[in-house]
Amino acid sequence: MVETNDQARPLRLLIAERRGWMARTLLSVLDATHWTSSHVRTGAEVVDQLRRAIPDVVMIHDDLGDYSALDLCVRLRSEGRIGLTTPIVVVSTDPTRTRRIAAYRAGAWEYVVLPLDPEVLLIRLETFARAHRAVEQLSESALLDPETGLYNTAGMARRSEEVASDARRRHDALSCVALVPKPAANGSTSRATRDAMVPEFGRLIRRSARISDVMGRGDGSVVIIAPATPLGGAERLVQRLQGAIWSDAPSSVTLAGAVGMKAGFCSAMDFSRSTLTIPEMLGRAIQILETVDSGRTGEIHGESVPLTSPN
């Protein structure tokens, strides 16, 4: 899920420098209450770090052995998660105008020539970082459903691409789950009534689900992309959510007639070999949920996605 306390979260700085002199200088003057920082020594380590988390500023010294600073800048700009909005600062010993222009053309926000003035540089870095944080917050808010705080359709599409890339690289299992409130015994829930339950139901799911799960508002349901979760794990996920949400009677009037949830899920043991994409798996989970909701025995049903043969 999206972090809800972005203003309090320290700004994140990633420094790429082989020798480490610049990194030591900056780390000695960084305010730990405002910043967290990481130092890597190669361009490959930069790429690996950015697959795990996006910093607010990336600083690249031109002493890296495996990449030139400008080539690495171009590479990072081509990464979808970095795009144009993550500030990249190139640090160099070359003061020529030609080199500076080349850095800006490669996508750098700033070109700093050594020796540097740490105080001036930190002021610039904080300005860049806060600009990035503001854009990040605007982007995230556009991807959220305002009633539930879950991802909307656009948000789920973006996050599914990120999760898919990571799951393929790790050969992880992955499950997609669709959930709706379950009416009281012998009760029935019209589509309009179920839709009215979704906002409160979604808020309860958001508070009870795992941090690693990607949660979204579907058409009359709540959907979850669950990384590193095989078939049995998806069923246990639903059971755990049901126990967490209905351990006490919900106080919400809209959920007063609900006693649990119904779920459909679709799982792949190795997503890198899955014959379905995440959107297709979400679609299958919703189809299975609708079958459950129409009277099929039981409350939780799922299927395993066929896999391609290993290479």
Side-chain angles (χ1 to χ4, degrees):
M1 274 301 299
V2 178
E3 296 178 63
T4 58
N5 196 21
D6 257 1
Q7 294 295 339
R9 177 165 55 87
L11 301 171
R12 297 168 296 195
L13 174 64
L14 174 60
I15 303 171
E17 182 194 17
R18 181 164 59 90
R19 294 183 180 88
W21 173 85
M22 179 188 72
R24 287 191 296 272
T25 300
L26 289 176
L27 295 179
S28 69
V29 295
L30 276 177
D31 185 343
T33 63
H34 293 143
W35 290 92
T36 60
S37 60
S38 301
H39 172 217
V40 297
R41 298 180 183 276
T42 68
E45 288 180 292
V46 172
V47 174
D48 184 60
Q49 285 272 337
L50 295 179
R51 284 172 178 160
R52 301 175 192 177
I54 303 301
D56 293 299
V57 181
V58 181
M59 289 189 66
I60 303 172
H61 196 296
D62 63 2
D63 70 344
L64 302 180
D66 57 343
Y67 276 90
S68 76
L70 303 194
D71 286 345
L72 181 57
C73 194
V74 170
R75 165 73 187 274
L76 298 183
R77 288 299 180 216
S78 68
E79 294 276 342
R81 297 185 67 197
I82 297 297
L84 297 173
T85 61
T86 301
I88 298 176
V89 176
V90 173
V91 181
S92 177
T93 56
D94 186 345
T96 62
R97 181 174 180 273
T98 300
R99 183 70 171 177
R100 186 183 299 273
I101 290 174
Y104 291 142
R105 284 178 173 164
W109 279 36
E110 184 60 281
Y111 184 82
V112 178
V113 178
L114 294 174
L116 54 82
D117 182 329
E119 184 178 358
V120 171
L121 180 58
L122 286 177
I123 292 172
R124 291 182 185 176
L125 294 181
E126 183 162 354
T127 298
F128 293 160
R130 295 203 179 282
H132 174 258
R133 187 66 59 85
V135 171
E136 188 179 60
Q137 289 170 343
L138 287 172
S139 176
E140 292 289 1
S141 64
L143 300 177
L144 297 180
D145 170 60
E147 286 190 297
T148 62
L150 304 177
Y151 284 111
N152 58 24
T153 301
M156 289 297 286
R158 176 180 292 187
R159 293 290 286 118
S160 68
E161 293 176 2
E162 297 169 358
V163 173
S165 176
D166 191 58
R168 288 192 190 99
R169 182 169 58 88
R170 298 174 183 273
H171 294 270
D172 272 348
L174 185 143
S175 292
C176 292
V177 183
L179 309 164
V180 293
K182 178 192 171 192
N186 301 320
S188 61
T189 306
S190 69
R191 180 57 184 268
T193 301
R194 194 173 82 180
D195 287 349
M197 289 180 171
V198 167
E200 180 63 19
F201 183 62
R203 289 191 287 270
L204 289 170
I205 293 291
R206 188 182 65 166
R207 290 198 293 267
S208 304
R210 305 174 302 184
I211 294 175
S212 60
D213 295 332
V214 178
M215 295 160 276
R217 181 173 182 172
D219 184 14
S221 64
V222 171
V223 293
I224 299 176
I225 304 170
T229 303
L231 190 72
E235 187 166 358
R236 289 191 295 274
L237 171 66
V238 175
Q239 292 169 341
R240 187 187 64 77
L241 285 174
Q242 178 161 305
I245 292 174
W246 272 275
S247 56
D248 299 308
S251 59
S252 169
V253 173
T254 56
L255 288 176
V259 293
M261 66 177 69
K262 294 184 178 182
F265 60 89
C266 182
S267 303
M269 285 300 297
D270 179 349
F271 185 72
S272 69
R273 296 170 51 207
S274 172
T275 55
L276 298 181
T277 65
I278 288 181
E280 289 170 338
M281 290 175 66
L282 286 170
R284 283 295 303 144
I286 292 170
Q287 289 176 10
I288 293 169
L289 171 65
E290 291 172 349
T291 302
V292 175
D293 205 33
S294 65
R296 184 169 152 183
T297 302
E299 300 168 1
I300 306 172
H301 287 278
E303 67 177 13
S304 183
V305 177
L307 305 179
T308 60
S309 300
N311 294 331

